[in-house]
Amino acid sequence: MPTENDPRFLRSREAILHAARDLLLERGPAAVTHVQVAERAAVGRATVYRHWPRAELLLMEAMATVPMPFFSDPTVPTRDWLRRELTAIARQLDLDDVRAVSTTLAGTALWDTDMDARRAQFAGVLTDRLAAALDGAQTRGEITLAIPSRDAAALAIGPMYYRSTIEHSPTGTNLIEATIEALGTWSTASSPRQ
Amino acid sequence: MPTENDPRFLRSREAILHAARDLLLERGPAAVTHVQVAERAAVGRATVYRHWPRAELLLMEAMATVPMPFFSDPTVPTRDWLRRELTAIARQLDLDDVRAVSTTLAGTALWDTDMDARRAQFAGVLTDRLAAALDGAQTRGEITLAIPSRDAAALAIGPMYYRSTIEHSPTGTNLIEATIEALGTWSTASSPRQ
């Protein structure tokens, strides 16, 4: 039997993860079962079980292959940085796979403790990063916040999340600008939209 | 066992849906469980499972038969009406069942055509109603909209939807007021928050 250092073990792990991701994107999280993943990856079912004894852990790992690098490394002017970050998130949410991941995360978290921890961690990172960036901007006199900075993630990401997952439409520049304006009063020295 | 073309199959489906709808109206979404629906419909629990393996899908179907109360019958001042409506939606989104229904709707719609049609219908009603109410408010001079009125649903509901399904926290008054302010410039004659 291959062991963890065996190249065959690593190759089959890679193939299984790839198959799981494809099934997630094509047919949703319910399709990520041991049987269907084994078939798609062209490996034995026992091999899938050996790597991931629980299908939901495989699903979670497949979901984690979609990176969420948002709101890291804020730059000044904050308004420009924020516009770039929100536009990047909006473009991600246009993708079916990101839609599938975010709705699966939100849905599965309601009855799965591991997934709920992942949801909380994901939400917490976004809230913390954006709050820190906006607190810094306020300290520098770039903005007078209209809300507690920890409400900013919901206020800024919420509309595009709803637009993507409920309305299934792309988020345009207008909606992004409206959420940026909703955060507070930007100083005239900070760059308005070009 | 009855099959899909069997009249008995269709009759039991109808009876279950009717029971689910009654339970929803009488006792709220949390009452729509396999056990209680089976009892109310006077069918075996296995029959309910055969038609709807997941209770939230049955709940969703039952909900589709009930008129959606939100944003119907706008009153003046629009800002007060809007605050009441958004607060009602926020309180609904605090409930685990409503979270389950909305995330299931969003998630399942990605790979299920029927569910996607339901999602589109649901989203469209909210968008249409809120847009019409705000267009009316603008005509009356209550608000100068900062956005196209059809963006209002995403801007107003999005933050509380994100707060509920991603951050798993209740939506406070501050967040609701911030979304109301984000929609545009309210005339001073319109009532500000008490």
Side-chain angles (χ1 to χ4, degrees):
Chain A
M1 186 190 290
T3 67
E4 284 189 27
N5 293 321
D6 189 313
R8 281 175 298 170
F9 186 89
L10 296 174
R11 266 202 306 276
S12 65
R13 189 183 186 284
E14 215 40 50
I16 289 164
L17 201 50
H18 195 85
R21 186 187 151 98
D22 285 351
L23 285 166
L24 171 67
L25 300 185
E26 287 166 25
R27 292 160 53 197
V32 183
T33 64
H34 285 105
V35 174
Q36 295 190 67
V37 168
E39 189 177 303
R40 177 70 66 105
V43 301
R45 205 185 304 179
T47 306
V48 183
Y49 275 99
R50 196 154 57 238
H51 285 282
W52 282 281
R54 289 169 55 197
E56 65 266 33
L57 298 182
L58 170 54
L59 171 60
M60 219 183 299
E61 190 124 350
M63 285 173 54
T65 64
V66 179
M68 296 289 178
F70 305 117
F71 298 137
S72 55
D73 307 317
T75 57
V76 176
T78 302
R79 199 196 231 177
D80 291 342
W81 168 80
L82 189 55
R83 185 180 298 123
R84 284 195 304 270
E85 294 293 310
L86 292 176
T87 303
I89 295 176
R91 292 297 76 78
Q92 285 290 306
L93 282 168
D94 287 345
L95 305 172
D96 277 347
D97 49 344
V98 177
R99 261 184 209 148
V101 163
S102 56
T103 57
T104 300
L105 187 65
T108 314
L110 295 175
W111 60 86
D112 181 300
T113 311
D114 288 344
M115 202 66 94
D116 191 53
R118 185 169 286 238
R119 174 205 58 71
Q121 201 265 342
F122 168 76
V125 166
L126 292 177
T127 300
D128 291 347
R129 287 181 181 172
L130 187 53
L134 288 173
D135 287 338
Q138 184 160 246
T139 302
R140 285 187 300 273
E142 290 184 86
I143 186 174
T144 303
L145 290 169
I147 45 152
S149 60
R150 297 188 65 77
D151 280 350
L155 202 56
I157 306 168
M160 58 180 71
Y161 175 63
Y162 181 91
R163 173 62 51 92
S164 165
T165 63
I166 298 292
E167 296 185 338
H168 279 210
S169 299
T171 294
T173 311
N174 282 348
L175 192 57
I176 292 174
E177 288 303 317
T179 65
I180 292 174
E181 292 304 318
L183 298 174
T185 307
W186 294 88
S187 79
T188 47
S190 82
S191 69
R193 180 178 161 201
Q194 299 302 311
Chain B
M1 184 191 290
T3 66
E4 284 189 26
N5 293 321
D6 191 313
R8 281 173 299 168
F9 186 91
L10 296 174
R11 265 203 308 275
S12 65
R13 189 183 186 287
E14 216 39 52
I16 289 164
L17 199 51
H18 195 84
R21 183 183 198 272
D22 286 352
L23 285 166
L24 174 65
L25 292 176
E26 288 167 26
R27 293 160 52 198
V32 183
T33 64
H34 283 106
V35 174
Q36 296 190 66
V37 168
E39 192 176 300
R40 178 67 67 104
V43 301
R45 206 186 303 177
T47 306
V48 183
Y49 273 98
R50 194 155 56 238
H51 286 282
W52 282 281
R54 290 168 59 192
E56 69 265 33
L57 299 183
L58 171 54
L59 172 58
M60 219 178 307
E61 190 124 354
M63 284 178 79
T65 69
V66 177
M68 190 170 41
F70 302 122
F71 298 136
S72 56
D73 307 317
T75 57
V76 176
T78 302
R79 199 195 230 175
D80 292 341
W81 168 79
L82 188 56
R83 185 180 299 122
R84 284 195 303 272
E85 294 293 310
L86 292 176
T87 303
I89 295 176
R91 291 298 75 80
Q92 285 291 307
L93 283 169
D94 287 345
L95 304 173
D96 276 347
D97 351 35
V98 177
R99 258 183 212 147
V101 165
S102 57
T103 58
T104 300
L105 184 65
T108 314
L110 295 174
W111 59 89
D112 180 303
T113 310
D114 288 346
M115 205 63 89
D116 191 53
R118 187 156 300 167
R119 175 207 57 71
Q121 201 265 342
F122 169 75
V125 167
L126 291 177
T127 300
D128 289 348
R129 287 181 180 172
L130 187 52
L134 288 172
D135 286 340
Q138 183 160 247
T139 302
R140 284 187 299 274
E142 291 185 86
I143 187 174
T144 304
L145 290 170
I147 45 151
S149 60
R150 296 188 66 77
D151 281 349
L155 203 57
I157 306 168
M160 58 179 72
Y161 176 62
Y162 181 90
R163 172 61 54 90
S164 165
T165 63
I166 297 293
E167 296 185 337
H168 278 210
S169 300
T171 295
T173 311
N174 283 347
L175 192 57
I176 292 174
E177 287 304 316
T179 64
I180 292 173
E181 292 304 317
L183 298 174
T185 306
W186 294 89
S187 78
T188 48
S190 81
S191 69
R193 181 179 157 201
Q194 300 302 313

